[in-house]
Amino acid sequence: MGRIDVFVAPRPNPALINVMTIVNRIVMLRGVPGLRDLLPFNRLAGLRGVANVRHIDFPAADQQRLQACCGAGQATFITPNHPEFFTDWMIDKEVVSRVSPLAASWATHGVVNGLGRLMQKFWLANNLIAQIPGNNEAAKAHSVDWALKGHGVLLHPEGGVGWHGNFVGPLLPGAVEMGLEALQRGREMNKEFKAWVAPVVWKLAFTGNVEQALARECAYVEKSLKIEGAAGGSPSERVYRIYSTLLSRDEQACGLTAEEGAPYAVRQQRALAELGRQLAAAIAAGPGLDMAELLRHSRRWLREGKADADGQKRVRKLTETIQRIQRVGPWAFANQTITQEEIAEHLKRIRNDYCKGTLRDTINRFIPQPAGPRCARIRVPEPLGLHAYGGSIDEALVVLRSRMHEAVTGVVAELQAGGGFISYPNPFYHH
């Protein structure tokens, strides 16, 4: 079961990929009609659909837009948003099965290489590329080679899962960098060669009221984290209480006293400022670094092993605490109301970040179970043709993120107009 932190090239098996596509559609996404809503069968994830995505809304025009930039004579890097773990691969696989069945997909090294030789062989046959922190050059080279064959490569430009389906986070440059390399190499053989970065977004919405299921999950989290329950409160109030209590514990640990009645966002920034001050002192960082730069310095400091075990442990804990607190981003405070979908995302983020140590928590971290049946709405913004683009990599990322965010916002607006959300006052809201 040892983790193998070296790149091993995928060996795609088309027959296995086809079988997995069928299994994905029935077992992982939709479930078995006739059984998925009947007791006791609906308690079995494989019968109701592990990700419980009953419907997929993928308009023909969007599918054709993506398909048009896939195939021979062009290199395509498909870049979906990343709002939910596990369901991401299920939906990604459904998308590529329709437009580029042999597309390769990037995945965390812990999945591809960390579950033993047999599972590694299985994932490589499914054409997964292991993303190995600090050692991605071989993976990038393979991706460019594969894209040049016209099959396509899929990777999530937001990086890790953020559990925020209405918001697209800052993008990493890997897809654009590989696309430019593929363009350069392709043009050496064919002056008309094209390279694309093709963004995809998907938004999940419950098909009914899941308040009772959210209340049960709140109760589990409260018990697991030893937080006084509030059984009479709404799911939004309970989630806010959980996060507020957890922040109080972090405030206390770093020597701060919680300000009674202060908004969560104010307390959060105050805690981050103090933790940043302590981290900068611990690694002797220079003045004037913003938090992102400070975290980069701390990760490099840890890799270089510049202290004894206790010093390493302290810096690692400070770094992890800052990153964990930051995961409740500005999007959480932006709107006066909060939907059941957003509450569910908060709960999944809490369970991933804080609930650990039991088999149930471990399984939930890898295969989180939704509160109820859902519909996935998939949209394809305008692809970015690198062959016709003259801007910088940073400018390309701004364009891509803007297109992705606009598409997500459009889907949310459609759902709101059709009464597709159940909402509550947002306790996190802050002007």
Side-chain angles (χ1 to χ4, degrees):
M1 292 288 289
R3 194 164 66 200
I4 307 162
D5 285 336
V6 295
F7 177 74
V8 183
R11 294 178 288 276
N13 181 323
L16 178 61
I17 290 172
N18 289 336
V19 169
M20 287 302 296
T21 296
I22 295 170
V23 170
N24 176 61
R25 286 174 179 166
I26 297 174
V27 178
M28 300 302 182
L29 289 174
R30 295 187 176 94
V32 181
L35 296 178
R36 62 193 183 189
D37 293 315
L38 294 177
L39 283 170
F41 306 110
N42 62 359
R43 292 178 178 173
L44 301 175
L47 294 181
R48 70 165 182 265
V50 177
N52 212 346
V53 177
R54 300 295 181 83
H55 312 286
I56 293 180
D57 173 15
F58 191 4
D62 290 79
Q63 185 171 317
Q64 290 164 6
R65 187 177 302 117
L66 182 57
Q67 196 159 21
C69 61
C70 295
Q74 49 196 347
T76 309
F77 293 86
I78 303 170
T79 55
N81 62 334
H82 207 190
E84 180 170 317
F85 190 74
F86 181 77
T87 308
D88 56 2
W89 192 49
M90 302 301 103
I91 293 179
D92 294 344
K93 190 167 182 64
E94 178 66 22
V95 169
V96 298
S97 73
R98 300 188 186 193
V99 300
S100 185
L102 289 181
S105 298
W106 279 54
T108 176
H109 65 124
V111 170
V112 181
N113 293 336
L115 302 175
R117 291 285 183 180
L118 185 61
M119 286 305 298
Q120 183 197 53
K121 184 176 180 180
F122 173 79
W123 292 126
L124 294 176
N126 271 282
N127 215 8
L128 262 65
I129 297 172
Q131 185 270 324
I132 302 171
N135 186 24
N136 276 330
E137 293 310 309
K140 288 181 177 180
H142 173 82
S143 297
V144 172
D145 289 341
W146 192 252
L148 285 168
K149 296 178 181 180
H151 294 308
V153 174
L154 182 148
L155 65 163
H156 293 105
E158 291 178 276
V161 174
W163 296 102
H164 41 67
N166 293 0
F167 174 80
V168 177
L171 306 184
L172 299 172
V176 177
E177 292 172 345
M178 289 186 288
L180 290 171
E181 182 179 344
L183 177 63
Q184 180 180 355
R185 288 177 54 187
R187 285 284 168 92
E188 292 172 358
M189 300 176 289
N190 175 7
K191 292 183 178 180
E192 302 301 319
F193 190 87
K194 297 179 179 180
W196 304 88
V197 179
V200 176
V201 300
W202 47 268
K203 168 65 182 173
L204 294 165
F206 292 117
T207 59
N209 190 335
V210 296
E211 182 169 313
Q212 290 185 351
L214 293 174
R216 287 194 296 272
E217 191 160 11
C218 285
Y220 174 79
V221 170
E222 289 161 350
K223 182 178 179 181
S224 175
L225 299 178
K226 297 179 174 57
I227 294 173
E228 183 180 351
S234 70
S236 60
E237 291 168 340
R238 294 177 75 171
V239 163
Y240 183 82
R241 182 187 180 95
I242 291 167
Y243 257 125
S244 183
T245 301
L246 294 170
L247 183 58
S248 294
R249 293 174 182 176
D250 287 325
E251 287 171 326
Q252 184 177 9
C254 70
L256 293 174
T257 302
E259 296 182 33
E260 190 69 28
Y264 183 94
V266 172
R267 292 173 53 203
Q268 181 196 51
Q269 291 306 309
R270 183 166 169 258
L272 287 172
E274 175 58 24
L275 288 163
R277 185 193 65 78
Q278 294 181 14
L279 178 59
I283 65 174
L289 297 179
D290 63 24
M291 189 63 80
E293 293 171 323
L294 180 59
L295 289 172
R296 282 195 293 271
H297 277 254
S298 71
R299 287 190 288 269
R300 183 167 62 247
W301 187 93
L302 287 167
R303 285 196 302 269
E304 294 173 354
K306 291 188 174 182
D308 58 20
D310 288 341
Q312 289 266 324
K313 183 177 179 181
R314 171 172 166 74
V315 168
R316 186 172 292 108
K317 183 176 180 180
L318 285 167
T319 300
E320 290 173 352
T321 301
I322 289 171
Q323 291 173 320
R324 177 166 40 76
I325 293 175
Q326 282 183 324
R327 277 163 60 76
V328 182
W331 40 265
F333 319 123
N335 298 316
Q336 296 184 45
T337 58
I338 183 171
T339 65
Q340 288 189 340
E341 288 78 5
E342 292 171 303
I343 293 168
E345 289 168 351
H346 276 307
L347 286 167
K348 291 297 187 258
R349 190 184 313 104
I350 291 168
R351 292 186 67 174
N352 181 79
D353 293 351
Y354 293 91
C355 297
K356 300 178 182 179
T358 69
L359 178 61
R360 180 175 177 179
D361 291 330
T362 300
I363 293 174
N364 181 78
R365 191 168 298 113
F366 284 98
I367 312 177
Q369 290 300 286
R374 302 175 293 175
C375 176
R377 287 166 172 81
I378 304 171
R379 300 293 184 267
V380 178
E382 181 186 354
L384 179 64
L386 296 175
H387 49 277
Y389 185 76
S392 68
I393 290 176
D394 287 343
E395 289 168 338
L397 295 177
V398 171
V399 171
L400 286 166
R401 186 184 181 195
S402 175
R403 292 179 184 179
M404 293 173 73
H405 191 67
E406 183 178 348
V408 169
T409 302
V411 174
V412 172
E414 289 175 17
L415 285 165
Q416 287 174 332
F421 292 124
I422 296 173
S423 301
Y424 309 83
N426 183 8
F428 291 93
Y429 176 68
H430 179 62
H431 293 284

